[in-house]
Amino acid sequence: KMIKVWTNGCFDILHRGHIELFKYAKGRGDKLIVGVDSDKKVRKDKGKDRPINSLDDRVEVLRSIKYVDEVWWFDSTEELRDLVRINEPSIMIIGADWKGKDVIGQEYAGRVDFFDRVGDYSTTNILEKSK
């Protein structure tokens, strides 16, 4: 049986932490599926100045990464839950900062594994430095 791995996020300004996540996630299975927040959802969650890169651009960049096999996007937590249900991943890989919180769609995954951030890479930190 093919082992499908799911991860999701905004992936607005890609950095090494994202690549390490994709590399780790792909190493856990046969197929890596990445869910990406729509522009509307990023604005709602991160504020009116985000995302920096449009959904089209973020999806295109994600599709070009060798570890990523498929990219889906979603507008809401309901759509995210539906995508996880449709894809039925064996493993869901989520950032360790989500430990102990409600992981959207976890009921449709074989199991949830947590990924520890690499260094202090974050899009928010990059944007702060650039100001």
Side-chain angles (χ1 to χ4, degrees):
K1 183 182 181 242
M2 179 187 291
I3 298 171
K4 292 192 271 185
V5 181
W6 172 279
T7 193
N8 59 269
C10 300
F11 307 115
D12 188 5
I13 294 177
L14 279 188
H15 50 70
R16 182 170 176 189
H18 292 132
I19 300 303
E20 296 293 343
L21 166 65
F22 300 144
K23 192 188 309 184
Y24 171 80
K26 178 65 177 192
R28 311 292 309 209
D30 304 306
K31 181 178 189 178
L32 175 58
I33 306 164
V34 176
V36 62
D37 297 62
S38 70
D39 293 345
K40 182 175 107 181
K41 186 165 185 320
V42 175
R43 266 192 299 281
K44 180 176 165 268
D45 296 346
K46 307 262 185 191
K48 65 177 176 47
D49 295 334
R50 300 277 304 276
I52 303 299
N53 292 297
S54 72
L55 177 65
D56 284 349
D57 290 348
R58 290 181 287 129
V59 167
E60 201 53 42
V61 169
L62 289 168
R63 283 185 176 145
S64 75
I65 296 169
K66 70 180 180 179
Y67 306 109
V68 176
D69 296 299
E70 222 172 271
V71 180
W72 296 72
W73 61 271
F74 55 92
D75 247 348
S76 64
T77 54
E78 296 75 26
E79 284 184 15
L80 170 55
R81 184 173 280 110
D82 285 344
L83 287 176
V84 177
R85 180 178 51 77
I86 289 163
N87 283 286
E88 295 181 291
S90 309
I91 308 169
M92 225 177 156
I93 310 259
I94 303 297
D97 46 334
W98 281 89
K99 273 186 186 160
K101 297 179 186 168
D102 180 35
V103 175
I104 306 297
Q106 66 185 355
E107 63 272 28
Y108 302 113
R111 71 171 196 267
V112 176
D113 286 354
F114 294 96
F115 179 78
D116 292 315
R117 275 185 191 267
V118 175
D120 67 347
Y121 294 105
S122 91
T123 299
T124 304
N125 289 351
I126 291 168
L127 291 173
E128 284 304 312
K129 278 186 211 165
S130 73
K131 285 182 179 170

